[in-house]
Amino acid sequence: MLNVGLTHFLVISVTLFSFGMYGVITRKNAVMVLMGVELILNSANINFIAFAKFGNYGLQGQIIALFVIVLAAAEAAIALAIVINIYKTITNINVDEIDSLRD
Amino acid sequence: MTVYDIIFYLFAAVTLISAFFVVTNRNIVHSAFFLLFTFFGVAGIYVMLGADFIAIVQLIVYVGGILILLLFGVMLTNKIVNVEIKTGTIHALPASIVLGLFAGAIGAAVLNTNWKIVESPDPVPTTAAIGRMLINEYALVFELLGILLLIALIGAASMARR
């Protein structure tokens, strides 16, 4: 049980995903929500690389992880631009107060 | 327990403890710094999995790029009159209950599944092989990702300037 195998990596990935999801759900600040999304993407990457290693799929898992990292960079840039625009418009980035589309 | 196991548990502890503080700390700047340690821990776990190139890319892109971007986001969207930059939380109790159940269910599924493990050869340097794959099998995806990144960055710049 103490010898590190596939399940250890998967358990770490599940825990990291849960923490990220918790951050996305509970934090009010939009930048904190973004940090939760980054945690979730990292946990997905751990899964890809762990399955590629323990299933002997060569480098394909690592290539997908590389693509996920690129997408995360693009997503962070776009999301921060949107957050800064929201701040300029209503001087507040608490996600529970941005509800003008609802009215 | 071998040295490999001990190093793995070390990186796992760094990752999970700092991730916990990222999502529970009330100070946004402290959260960002704990996120730094989380990214370092995840890079260490990539190394334990034999993915050296991905680990370095993780350090360069996440720590050097995304984290700095997030810190700029924090600084640009708060009135910096004092050092305390706080954030509130909502639905903390229901979220922790639901996510505890979720993590327990998935964790039980992971632990009870009889994974079919194929022994892979010892880790070798992966950079050259990844580079060769990127310009052979994955050339189209590589080009598309480059275009996507360019479009996303131009869009972000024009959106933020408006």
Side-chain angles (χ1 to χ4, degrees), chain A residues 40-86:
Chain A
I40 292 176
L41 289 170
N42 266 297
S43 81
N45 264 351
I46 293 178
N47 254 8
F48 273 125
I49 299 181
F51 277 122
K53 176 176 164 63
F54 288 98
N56 198 7
Y57 288 110
L59 289 174
Q60 300 191 18
Q62 299 190 22
I63 300 242
I64 299 294
L66 197 62
F67 295 159
V68 170
I69 290 177
V70 175
L71 286 179
E75 167 257 328
I78 292 282
L80 278 173
I82 292 174
V83 165
I84 287 172
N85 257 347
I86 291 174

Side-chain angles (χ1 to χ4, degrees), chain A residues 10-22, chain B residues 95-111:
Chain A
L10 295 186
V11 166
I12 284 194
S13 165
V14 167
T15 322
L16 205 58
F17 180 88
S18 302
F19 282 150
M21 204 70 202
Y22 180 83
Chain B
S96 41
I97 292 172
V98 169
L99 287 168
L101 286 176
F102 170 81
I106 303 282
V110 163
L111 290 176

Side-chain angles (χ1 to χ4, degrees), chain A residues 1-12 14-29 31-32 34-36 38-39 41-43 45-46 49-56 59-60 62-78 80-85 87-88 91 93-96, chain B residues 1 4-5 8-9 12 15-16 19-20 22-26 28 31-32 35 38-39 42 45-46 48-51 53-54 57-58 61-62 66 69-70 73-74 76-79 87-92 95-96 99 102-103 106 110-111 115 117-121 126 129-130 133-134 138 141 145 148-149 152-153 156 159-162:
Chain A
M1 198 60 208
L2 277 177
N3 289 327
V4 173
L6 174 62
T7 50
H8 290 73
F9 291 101
L10 295 186
V11 166
I12 284 194
V14 167
T15 322
L16 205 58
F17 180 88
S18 302
F19 282 150
M21 204 70 202
Y22 180 83
V24 170
I25 293 174
T26 60
R27 304 328 284 276
K28 276 187 184 174
N29 193 305
V31 179
M32 295 298 304
L34 277 182
M35 290 187 196
E38 302 299 339
L39 287 185
L41 289 170
N42 266 297
S43 81
N45 264 351
I46 293 178
I49 299 181
F51 277 122
K53 176 176 164 63
F54 288 98
N56 198 7
L59 289 174
Q60 300 191 18
Q62 299 190 22
I63 300 242
I64 299 294
L66 197 62
F67 295 159
V68 170
I69 290 177
V70 175
L71 286 179
E75 167 257 328
I78 292 282
L80 278 173
I82 292 174
V83 165
I84 287 172
N85 257 347
Y87 181 74
K88 278 183 197 159
T91 66
I93 54 166
N94 285 346
V95 287
D96 56 335
Chain B
M1 267 175 89
Y4 179 89
D5 296 342
F8 170 80
Y9 286 120
T15 307
L16 293 184
F20 177 76
V22 168
V23 293
T24 53
N25 206 313
R26 291 183 59 81
I28 302 178
S31 280
L35 199 63
T38 311
F39 289 153
V42 173
I45 289 174
Y46 291 163
M48 304 305 285
L49 284 166
F53 181 70
I54 305 293
V57 168
Q58 162 96 0
V61 174
Y62 271 104
I66 293 178
L69 212 59
L70 285 174
V74 172
L76 286 174
T77 55
N78 283 283
K79 297 185 184 65
T87 176
T89 54
I90 45 174
H91 313 313
S96 41
L99 287 168
F102 170 81
I106 303 282
V110 163
L111 290 176
W115 298 104
I117 290 178
V118 184
E119 284 303 316
S120 53
T126 56
I130 284 181
M133 278 176 97
L134 277 181
Y138 292 92
V141 189
L145 271 180
L148 177 114
L149 199 58
L153 291 182
M159 229 188 316
R161 281 189 59 198
R162 188 168 300 154

